[in-house]
Amino acid sequence: MLKDADLDLEYVPVELTKQSKEILCRAESNEEQWVLTHGDYGSHNVLFEPENNVNILDWEWAEWGNPMNDIAWVCWFTKLHYSEKAHLLNTAFINEYISHYPFSISSEQLKACCIYKVWNILMRVSNAPVEVQNEWVRRLEWTINTDFSDVCQTIA
């Protein structure tokens, strides 16, 4: 996960940084279970071809980490961009994932993984235009205030 020093960006409000640190410090790192993660996994980076060939694209954000990071990112992306269908889409995604790799995760852990992913982007946009930084700060606040328990009920 991130170190406290990584969470000190001058364009991120102190209160959001503090809340992020609190959420992240309660998360399990499970380093012994880390794998190569995609880093930006989601339908926007999957190419479906005839004959059921599926290709995963855009690996520039890949990193060694908790496999829950990719799962959380799919759920986060879906809740943010497809809120009206998020429960249906996330349930289908999680159920298919569980059929191949059973796991359990709490809503607190899922949120921590989402916060981790947003902070990765906040660090990458530190030299971007102010509008881009502000949008990711808005998304950080949204993530902190979003309830992910509906996703975790699916996982139970």
Side-chain angles (χ1 to χ4, degrees):
M1 284 280 186
L2 300 167
K3 297 177 181 78
D4 275 357
D6 294 333
L7 302 182
D8 289 326
L9 297 174
E10 66 181 47
Y11 66 92
V12 178
V14 173
E15 184 57 29
L16 293 179
T17 300
K18 179 182 171 212
Q19 290 174 315
S20 296
K21 288 178 180 180
E22 289 170 1
I23 292 167
L24 289 169
C25 80
R26 293 189 306 259
E28 299 174 30
S29 64
N30 295 328
E31 290 185 31
E32 66 278 354
Q33 296 177 355
W34 281 14
V35 298
L36 177 65
T37 61
H38 182 273
D40 190 21
Y41 187 75
S43 60
H44 57 291
N45 282 324
V46 178
L47 176 64
F48 297 94
E49 295 181 304
E51 308 292 325
N52 292 325
N53 290 328
V54 178
N55 301 286
I56 308 303
L57 311 171
D58 191 15
W59 285 85
E60 75 218 35
W61 290 53
E63 66 180 351
W64 190 253
N66 188 325
M68 294 302 127
N69 291 341
D70 277 345
I71 294 165
W73 196 241
V74 169
C75 296
W76 179 92
F77 187 91
T78 305
K79 275 181 126 6
L80 180 68
H81 296 291
Y82 307 103
S83 59
E84 68 286 345
K85 295 183 180 181
H87 183 71
L88 175 70
L89 294 171
N90 283 335
T91 298
F93 170 71
I94 295 294
N95 285 337
E96 185 61 26
Y97 192 98
I98 288 173
S99 75
H100 299 281
Y101 182 75
F103 69 94
S104 64
I105 188 172
S106 67
S107 58
E108 187 175 79
Q109 182 70 24
L110 186 70
K111 182 176 284 208
C113 290
C114 292
I115 297 286
Y116 168 77
K117 296 301 295 175
V118 172
W119 271 97
N120 274 329
I121 295 171
L122 285 165
M123 289 184 287
R124 289 177 185 231
V125 300
S126 61
N127 293 318
V130 172
E131 301 81 30
V132 173
Q133 293 174 347
N134 288 341
E135 175 57 21
W136 280 100
V137 167
R138 183 191 71 77
R139 290 175 181 203
L140 174 62
E141 183 174 24
W142 176 87
T143 305
I144 289 169
N145 293 320
T146 296
D147 180 9
F148 291 94
S149 62
D150 61 323
V151 174
C152 292
Q153 289 169 355
T154 302
I155 297 170

